[in-house]
Amino acid sequence: MLSYVVKRVLQMIPTLFGVSLLCFVIIHSVPGDPAHLIAGVDATDEQVQSVKEQLGLDRPLLEQYFSYVSHLLRGDLGESLQSERPVLQEIMTRFPNTILLTVFSVAIMVVVGLFAGILSATKPNSIRDNVTMMFSLFGISMPVFWFGTMLILLFSYYWPLLPSGGSSGFRHFILPSVVLGLSSSGVLARLTRSSILEVIHQDFIRTARAKGVKERIVIYKHTLKNALIPIITIIGLEFGTLLGGAVLTETVFSMNGLGRFIIQSIQFRDYPAVQGCILFVATIFVVVNLVVDLCYSAVDPRIRYE
Amino acid sequence: MSKTSILLMSREAGEAVYQRRSPWTLMIQRFKKNKRAIVGLWMVVIFVFVAVFARWLAPYDPIEQNMQSILNAPSLSHPFGTDEYGRDILSRVIYGAQISLMVGVVGVLISIVLGVALGTVAGYFGGKADLLIMRVMDVFMAFPSFLLALAIVSVLGPGMVNVMIAIGIFSVPTFARISRGSVMSVNGKEYIEAAKSMGSGHIRIIFKHVIPNSIAPIIVLSSMRIATAILTASGLSFLGMGAQPPTPELGAMLSSGRDYLRSDPYVSTIPGLAIMFMVLAFNMLGDGIRDALDPKMKL
């Protein structure tokens, strides 16, 4: 197991290297001269030149990339052009809000999604199944920014129970987490349903029922346990979607998180910050997927890592 | 009854049996039985109709401002009301549907062409080409998809064409991965071996045998990705990265309507509903096609 973990961590390195290269290429494909953008519209040629020298933009591209990577390895993501503070510091002050939002949303997604999926799968093609699956489809199809706006309208304006924006206390996280959690629970409910239906017709379930095991135990112990692998995979993938989706939700609820910072940085053309944030989120996503992979063997002891 | 007519009848019966057994007929039969899929198909047809005939269906000009009728509530003359510039929301939603549909379809077409090309080369040739292509795709997959689209648009600049390109690129890895898997499952089949032994070239085998036989999952994925593309494009416009004013884009309309949420909630509610029903239609259609083609398909 340990050797597998080491192997997987080592395998992550080329992916992260590729991610850094892609970030670098994306930011360096900005049409026009980035130094011009940074120095401002009415900057003199000398000012532009000094920005170039300061940021090393006058050096060959390959050299720039290597210097960028060497800074990255030392945890240096550059300096934000808006605040002139290190990008990593800017990220770290906002990241706790985003990660809290993501964790709350994942919790809501798992509870609602699993419950809805089990509800559907245990009585396939019934009214219950059809209604649940229709709700899941709505969840998948609903734009989060619209759902968020509607919840603000209902629970902040018409029925003032919760704040419409901000991120200073637990109450501020309720609406955004419900928005993200419920809209992604649709994907999980559909997948849970299909994974359970695949398992429920197998022989060992029939044996369990023939032995007289209670239906509740058949579902939760025998069926769900064997249907967990695809479910865990989708939870890992949704974690990334939620991190990305946080951009929209944080904007709707004016939260001081990483997603909103990315938007502000894009609007300000703060390229070091945009580059740093995207790299940061992608790295977390890669790590989460590794953790998901490692969870497989815990869930299914038949999976052995050699 | 003469011998010939009996022969003819049995031939017709044989043909009927044959027709019934053709995979496409079976698929259509299965599709017709699925009520949700039929509803989805009709919704898509209606949206396409509205989008194509927007010029004739929209009661007003979607861009022309009318300062005499600012923020009017829904009424007979303006069924969905008017926005902060006095523009008719119904007309703007009709044109908005046209834009969303176009972005969805063009974006997905870009990703089909690129994704299927890369996936087919990776799956058919294998080896180093496969390794290289799939490694690059893995890197793209390392980004949460909305963030990747956002990053691409932030570089290209706002505008609907750039949104289409961003959406085209962000779906490429998904199409490449699915088409690679599908091509690999076809690759070992006897008819490919037969074509090879008869001296067919790679290009001919790929276009005549590999792609036609591995296209089913791509069809299913396309319908679902159009739904995702519409959602993503409206999200980008909502953030101000997509369509620019006064373009009647649904996400942008919702965003500007939020300023009047308390007093005139319909300004942002209606465009959101329009996005949701469009996405719902394509998701229902996609589900239906998947269940009809192969219910066990993992998409």
Side-chain angles (χ1 to χ4, degrees):
Chain A
M1 182 70 188
L2 187 71
S3 66
Y4 178 77
V5 175
V6 172
K7 200 174 137 195
R8 281 301 315 261
V9 171
L10 288 178
Q11 270 177 359
M12 241 169 64
I13 294 171
T15 310
L16 288 179
F17 188 70
V19 166
S20 74
L21 185 64
L22 190 60
C23 274
F24 183 82
V25 169
I26 288 177
I27 298 301
H28 279 77
S29 344
V30 178
D33 188 351
H36 264 288
L37 292 174
I38 293 163
V41 191
D42 36 45
T44 60
D45 283 351
E46 280 163 14
Q47 280 169 319
V48 173
Q49 192 55 38
S50 93
V51 168
K52 271 188 181 173
E53 278 169 25
Q54 199 187 336
L55 298 175
L57 292 169
D58 52 345
R59 285 179 287 159
L61 216 54
L62 204 64
E63 204 183 308
Q64 283 184 48
Y65 177 65
F66 282 119
S67 131
Y68 166 64
V69 171
S70 92
H71 280 94
L72 272 187
L73 292 174
R74 281 173 277 160
D76 177 9
L77 292 176
E79 220 169 60
S80 159
L81 300 175
Q82 297 174 76
S83 62
E84 293 180 344
R85 287 197 302 174
V87 172
L88 194 64
Q89 199 183 326
E90 294 284 347
I91 290 176
M92 281 311 170
T93 52
R94 292 168 174 88
F95 187 57
N97 283 338
T98 303
I99 201 76
L100 264 181
L101 174 64
T102 311
V103 169
F104 287 151
S105 315
V106 168
I108 294 176
M109 172 187 89
V110 170
V111 172
V112 177
L114 275 184
F115 184 70
I118 294 168
L119 213 63
S120 269
T122 42
K123 255 197 173 179
N125 301 320
S126 63
I127 295 177
R128 184 168 94 183
D129 177 27
N130 278 325
V131 170
T132 319
M133 282 302 110
M134 220 36 229
F135 267 107
S136 311
L137 255 179
F138 270 101
I140 293 168
S141 311
M142 207 159 35
V144 283
F145 48 92
W146 179 75
F147 189 27
T149 308
M150 291 301 109
L151 289 192
I152 290 178
L153 186 64
L154 280 178
F155 296 105
S156 301
Y157 293 167
Y158 288 161
W159 197 18
L161 282 176
L162 292 163
S164 64
S167 44
S168 46
F170 175 72
R171 277 159 53 82
H172 292 91
F173 282 88
I174 299 177
L175 285 184
S177 312
V178 167
V179 168
L180 275 180
L182 283 188
S183 47
S184 18
S185 63
V187 183
L188 185 63
R190 281 155 58 100
L191 197 93
T192 307
R193 179 185 183 269
S194 61
S195 320
I196 289 183
L197 284 180
E198 228 165 74
V199 177
I200 217 162
H201 296 299
Q202 289 188 16
D203 289 343
F204 64 90
I205 299 292
R206 201 171 303 133
T207 312
R209 281 185 176 146
K211 280 197 312 186
V213 177
K214 281 185 191 146
E215 188 61 20
R216 214 164 52 104
I217 296 177
V218 171
I219 297 296
Y220 287 97
K221 205 175 158 196
H222 298 237
T223 314
L224 196 60
K225 219 173 168 183
N226 283 288
L228 266 182
I229 295 279
I231 294 172
I232 289 178
T233 312
I234 206 77
I235 292 174
L237 284 176
E238 279 300 303
F239 195 89
T241 314
L242 290 176
L243 275 178
V247 175
L248 286 163
T249 320
E250 284 174 3
T251 308
V252 171
F253 290 96
S254 317
M255 293 180 84
N256 187 24
L258 202 53
R260 192 147 158 259
F261 180 58
I262 296 177
I263 298 299
Q264 285 164 347
S265 307
I266 290 175
Q267 280 160 352
F268 196 83
R269 295 187 173 241
D270 184 352
Y271 289 107
V274 177
Q275 194 172 14
C277 290
I278 293 174
L279 188 68
F280 186 80
V281 174
T283 309
I284 290 176
F285 191 33
V286 171
V287 173
V288 167
N289 279 320
L290 171 69
V291 173
V292 166
D293 266 11
L294 297 179
C295 281
Y296 288 162
S297 81
V299 169
D300 190 345
R302 284 171 299 183
I303 297 177
R304 291 260 171 272
Y305 299 115
E306 296 307 330
Chain B
M1 203 181 276
S2 72
K3 257 187 182 176
T4 345
S5 61
I6 289 172
L7 254 177
L8 268 175
M9 268 177 67
S10 61
R11 230 179 93 187
E12 272 166 20
E15 268 172 10
V17 170
Y18 174 70
Q19 268 180 2
R20 228 180 286 138
R21 279 181 188 163
S22 105
W24 285 104
T25 324
L26 274 176
M27 187 209 129
I28 291 167
Q29 273 175 359
R30 274 199 297 261
F31 188 85
K32 276 184 186 166
K33 275 187 201 156
N34 187 341
K35 278 185 207 145
R36 218 183 287 163
I38 295 290
V39 173
L41 178 66
W42 273 110
M43 281 166 76
V44 169
V45 168
I46 291 169
F47 277 119
V48 171
F49 179 83
V50 167
V52 171
F53 297 103
R55 263 178 75 183
W56 294 279
L57 290 172
Y60 298 91
D61 186 313
I63 292 168
E64 202 185 345
Q65 303 183 1
N66 182 358
M67 292 306 170
Q68 261 79 50
S69 59
I70 290 173
L71 293 168
N72 282 358
S75 61
L76 274 179
S77 54
H78 297 285
F80 289 172
T82 58
D83 68 2
E84 68 274 25
Y85 294 106
R87 296 172 297 203
D88 178 51
I89 295 180
L90 173 64
S91 308
R92 287 179 70 75
V93 166
I94 290 175
Y95 275 92
Q98 186 186 48
I99 293 173
S100 290
L101 207 62
M102 199 167 73
V103 174
V105 172
V106 174
V108 169
L109 277 179
I110 296 175
S111 26
I112 292 178
V113 171
L114 293 175
V116 171
L118 289 170
T120 308
V121 169
Y124 181 78
F125 292 104
K128 279 182 187 157
D130 183 22
L131 196 74
L132 182 73
I133 291 173
M134 291 331 282
R135 279 276 133 202
V136 175
M137 292 299 118
D138 279 350
V139 170
F140 274 91
M141 290 271 214
F143 292 88
S145 49
F146 187 77
L147 215 57
L148 182 61
L150 190 65
I152 297 169
V153 171
S154 78
V155 167
L156 296 175
M160 281 330 272
V161 176
N162 292 342
V163 169
M164 286 184 209
I165 296 173
I167 288 189
I169 296 175
F170 102 120
S171 289
V172 167
T174 321
F175 276 99
R177 196 172 266 201
I178 299 288
S179 110
R180 171 182 177 264
S182 185
V183 166
M184 281 169 90
S185 69
V186 167
N187 217 0
K189 294 267 162 73
E190 287 88 352
Y191 54 84
I192 305 282
E193 293 301 320
K196 275 184 190 162
S197 65
M198 284 167 76
S200 297
H202 290 310
I203 304 277
R204 189 185 158 82
I205 293 177
I206 286 175
F207 280 99
K208 260 207 107 166
H209 302 290
V210 175
I211 291 183
N213 284 297
S214 60
I215 208 75
I218 299 297
I219 297 172
V220 177
L221 189 64
S222 306
S223 173
M224 292 177 171
R225 286 312 279 197
I226 290 179
T228 317
I230 293 174
L231 265 186
T232 310
S234 59
L236 290 172
S237 294
F238 176 81
L239 294 171
M241 303 287 160
Q244 295 302 302
T247 315
E249 206 280 343
L250 297 169
M253 283 164 69
L254 202 161
S255 170
S256 63
R258 274 169 51 86
D259 295 340
Y260 315 95
L261 188 61
R262 206 186 277 261
S263 54
D264 306 278
Y266 56 88
V267 184
S268 44
T269 309
I270 291 166
L273 281 174
I275 302 170
M276 185 174 76
F277 282 109
M278 274 181 101
V279 176
L280 188 70
F282 278 99
N283 275 330
M284 279 158 75
L285 180 66
D287 277 2
I289 300 176
R290 179 200 53 205
D291 291 344
L293 273 172
D294 177 7
K296 283 195 175 150
M297 200 183 278
K298 290 269 172 19
L299 277 174

